[in-house]
Protein backbone atom coordinates (compact mmCIF):
# COMPACT_ATOMS: atom_id res chain seq x y z
CA UNK A 1 0.00 0.00 0.00
CA UNK A 2 1.16 3.50 -0.76
CA UNK A 3 1.65 5.82 2.17
CA UNK A 4 2.40 9.40 2.98
CA UNK A 5 5.65 10.32 4.66
CA UNK A 6 5.51 8.93 8.23
CA UNK A 7 5.17 12.38 9.78
CA UNK A 8 2.16 13.13 7.52
CA UNK A 9 -0.93 11.38 8.78
CA UNK A 10 -4.62 11.44 7.99
CA UNK A 11 -6.73 10.39 10.96
CA UNK A 12 -3.87 8.55 12.66
CA UNK A 13 -2.32 6.75 9.70
CA UNK A 14 -0.03 7.58 6.81
CA UNK A 15 -1.79 4.94 4.66
CA UNK A 16 -4.00 6.57 2.00
CA UNK A 17 -4.92 3.57 -0.16
CA UNK A 18 -7.76 1.09 0.20
CA UNK A 19 -8.70 2.66 3.51
CA UNK A 20 -12.07 4.05 2.49
CA UNK A 21 -14.65 2.83 -0.01
CA UNK A 22 -14.99 6.33 -1.44
CA UNK A 23 -12.37 9.08 -1.34
CA UNK A 24 -13.77 12.50 -2.26
CA UNK A 25 -11.19 15.17 -3.02
CA UNK A 26 -12.11 18.86 -3.14
CA UNK A 27 -9.34 21.17 -4.27
CA UNK A 28 -8.94 24.80 -5.17
CA UNK A 29 -6.03 26.29 -7.10
CA UNK A 30 -2.71 24.71 -6.18
CA UNK A 31 -4.57 22.57 -3.64
CA UNK A 32 -5.23 20.20 -6.54
CA UNK A 33 -1.58 18.99 -6.58
CA UNK A 34 -1.49 17.20 -3.20
CA UNK A 35 -4.95 15.75 -3.80
CA UNK A 36 -3.81 14.45 -7.17
CA UNK A 37 -1.01 12.58 -5.36
CA UNK A 38 -3.61 10.89 -3.13
CA UNK A 39 -5.74 10.02 -6.16
CA UNK A 40 -2.76 8.54 -8.00
CA UNK A 41 -1.68 6.51 -4.96
CA UNK A 42 -5.15 4.95 -4.74
CA UNK A 43 -5.40 4.28 -8.46
CA UNK A 44 -1.89 2.80 -8.75
CA UNK A 45 -2.42 0.43 -5.84
CA UNK A 46 -3.68 -2.73 -7.53
CA UNK A 47 -5.12 -3.97 -4.22
CA UNK A 48 -7.12 -0.79 -3.63
CA UNK A 49 -10.81 -0.86 -4.51
CA UNK A 50 -11.42 2.74 -3.42
CA UNK A 51 -13.51 4.92 -5.70
CA UNK A 52 -11.94 8.37 -6.07
CA UNK A 53 -13.98 11.46 -6.91
CA UNK A 54 -12.20 14.79 -7.50
CA UNK A 55 -13.80 18.22 -7.62
CA UNK A 56 -11.53 20.91 -9.03
CA UNK A 57 -12.69 24.41 -8.12
CA UNK A 58 -11.30 27.16 -10.33
CA UNK A 59 -12.03 30.46 -12.02
CA UNK A 60 -12.60 30.37 -15.75
CA UNK A 61 -11.06 27.86 -18.09
CA UNK A 62 -7.57 28.04 -16.58
CA UNK A 63 -7.79 24.70 -14.76
CA UNK A 64 -4.61 23.61 -13.01
CA UNK A 65 -3.58 20.04 -13.93
CA UNK A 66 -6.67 19.49 -16.11
CA UNK A 67 -4.83 17.25 -18.58
CA UNK A 68 -3.60 15.02 -15.76
CA UNK A 69 -7.06 14.80 -14.18
CA UNK A 70 -8.74 14.02 -17.50
CA UNK A 71 -6.08 11.38 -18.27
CA UNK A 72 -6.74 9.66 -14.93
CA UNK A 73 -10.48 9.73 -15.56
CA UNK A 74 -9.93 8.19 -18.97
CA UNK A 75 -7.51 5.53 -17.67
CA UNK A 76 -9.69 4.59 -14.66
CA UNK A 77 -13.33 5.18 -15.72
CA UNK A 78 -14.72 2.81 -13.08
CA UNK A 79 -12.72 4.21 -10.16
CA UNK A 80 -11.97 7.89 -10.86
CA UNK A 81 -14.41 10.69 -11.64
CA UNK A 82 -13.53 14.36 -11.99
CA UNK A 83 -15.87 17.36 -11.82
CA UNK A 84 -14.96 20.98 -12.54
CA UNK A 85 -16.59 23.88 -10.72
CA UNK A 86 -16.09 27.29 -12.37
CA UNK A 87 -16.49 30.15 -9.90
CA UNK A 88 -15.51 32.95 -12.32
CA UNK A 89 -19.04 34.35 -12.56
CA UNK A 90 -19.20 34.90 -8.82
CA UNK A 91 -21.01 31.65 -8.19
CA UNK A 92 -19.82 29.54 -5.32
CA UNK A 93 -20.20 25.86 -4.76
CA UNK A 94 -23.28 24.65 -2.99
CA UNK A 95 -24.15 21.62 -0.93
CA UNK A 96 -26.37 20.50 -3.83
CA UNK A 97 -23.39 20.55 -6.22
CA UNK A 98 -21.21 18.58 -3.81
CA UNK A 99 -24.01 16.17 -3.02
CA UNK A 100 -24.35 15.46 -6.75
CA UNK A 101 -20.63 15.23 -7.47
CA UNK A 102 -19.93 12.96 -4.51
CA UNK A 103 -23.20 11.05 -5.10
CA UNK A 104 -24.58 11.65 -1.64
CA UNK A 105 -28.37 11.60 -1.71
CA UNK A 106 -30.87 12.28 1.06
CA UNK A 107 -31.41 8.52 1.28
CA UNK A 108 -27.67 7.83 1.66
CA UNK A 109 -27.08 6.40 5.15
CA UNK A 110 -24.62 8.24 7.36
CA UNK A 111 -21.23 6.89 6.25
CA UNK A 112 -19.09 4.90 8.65
CA UNK A 113 -15.43 5.83 9.18
CA UNK A 114 -14.18 3.29 6.63
CA UNK A 115 -16.73 4.15 3.96
CA UNK A 116 -16.13 7.80 3.08
CA UNK A 117 -13.36 10.35 3.43
CA UNK A 118 -13.60 13.89 2.10
CA UNK A 119 -10.27 15.67 1.84
CA UNK A 120 -10.05 19.38 1.10
CA UNK A 121 -6.99 21.33 0.04
CA UNK A 122 -6.71 24.99 -0.87
CA UNK A 123 -6.20 28.37 0.71
CA UNK A 124 -7.39 28.92 4.28
CA UNK A 125 -10.38 30.87 2.91
CA UNK A 126 -11.22 28.00 0.54
CA UNK A 127 -11.14 25.44 3.36
CA UNK A 128 -13.14 27.77 5.61
CA UNK A 129 -15.87 28.19 2.97
CA UNK A 130 -16.22 24.47 2.31
CA UNK A 131 -15.61 22.90 5.71
CA UNK A 132 -15.00 25.49 8.39
CA UNK A 133 -11.82 27.03 9.62
CA UNK A 134 -8.48 25.47 10.24
CA UNK A 135 -7.31 25.57 13.85
CA UNK A 136 -3.96 24.81 15.44
CA UNK A 137 -3.42 21.86 17.77
CA UNK A 138 -1.19 21.79 20.86
CA UNK A 139 1.86 21.30 18.58
CA UNK A 140 0.85 24.28 16.42
CA UNK A 141 -0.03 22.00 13.48
CA UNK A 142 -3.04 22.84 11.32
CA UNK A 143 -6.05 20.61 11.94
CA UNK A 144 -9.68 20.76 10.90
CA UNK A 145 -11.84 22.66 13.36
CA UNK A 146 -15.56 22.20 13.87
CA UNK A 147 -17.28 21.17 10.64
CA UNK A 148 -19.00 24.21 9.16
CA UNK A 149 -19.36 25.65 5.70
CA UNK A 150 -20.91 23.90 2.73
CA UNK A 151 -20.13 20.40 4.00
CA UNK A 152 -21.97 21.08 7.27
CA UNK A 153 -25.09 21.74 5.16
CA UNK A 154 -25.05 18.12 4.03
CA UNK A 155 -26.95 16.71 6.96
CA UNK A 156 -25.97 13.13 6.20
CA UNK A 157 -22.36 14.02 6.95
CA UNK A 158 -23.06 16.26 9.89
CA UNK A 159 -25.40 14.00 11.85
Amino acid sequence: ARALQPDRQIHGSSNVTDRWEKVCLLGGGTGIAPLLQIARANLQDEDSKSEVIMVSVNRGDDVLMKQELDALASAHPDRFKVHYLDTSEGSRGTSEFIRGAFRITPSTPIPQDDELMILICGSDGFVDYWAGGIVRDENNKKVQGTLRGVLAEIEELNA
Side-chain angles (χ1 to χ4, degrees):
R2 304 276 307 256
L4 301 171
Q5 295 175 3
D7 62 335
R8 302 280 186 174
Q9 295 190 359
I10 298 173
H11 293 277
S13 174
S14 60
N15 181 24
V16 295
T17 63
D18 207 30
R19 207 167 140 193
W20 305 283
E21 291 176 25
K22 187 186 299 186
V23 179
C24 300
L25 308 170
L26 177 61
T30 58
I32 289 296
L35 296 177
L36 183 57
Q37 290 177 326
I38 291 170
R40 283 185 181 141
N42 272 281
L43 297 170
Q44 291 171 355
D45 182 348
E46 294 178 11
D47 295 327
S48 177
K49 304 289 187 263
S50 297
E51 175 186 13
V52 181
I53 302 171
M54 171 81 79
V55 173
S56 172
V57 180
N58 46 72
R59 292 192 177 126
D61 57 2
D62 183 22
V63 180
L64 189 64
M65 305 183 104
K66 185 175 189 326
Q67 289 179 328
E68 291 90 339
L69 294 170
D70 289 343
L72 277 179
S74 179
H76 304 277
D78 296 334
R79 291 191 51 219
F80 183 76
K81 305 285 187 254
V82 62
H83 302 271
Y84 299 99
L85 176 59
D86 179 358
T87 61
S88 64
E89 299 298 320
S91 67
R92 301 198 72 178
T94 64
S95 58
E96 290 80 19
F97 176 85
I98 291 301
R99 197 183 291 245
F102 292 163
R103 295 194 325 263
I104 300 169
T105 66
S107 62
T108 301
I110 297 170
Q112 301 301 311
D113 289 345
D114 60 347
E115 293 177 341
L116 172 68
M117 175 56 70
I118 298 176
L119 301 172
I120 301 174
C121 192
S123 68
D124 287 349
F126 179 86
V127 173
D128 187 55
Y129 175 76
W130 289 100
I134 299 283
V135 296
R136 300 273 179 177
D137 69 8
E138 63 277 357
N139 297 316
N140 203 31
K141 288 189 176 191
K142 287 183 176 182
V143 296
Q144 177 64 47
T146 302
L147 182 62
R148 296 188 320 264
V150 172
L151 291 181
E153 296 172 15
I154 301 175
E155 63 187 83
E156 294 82 11
L157 298 179
N158 197 31

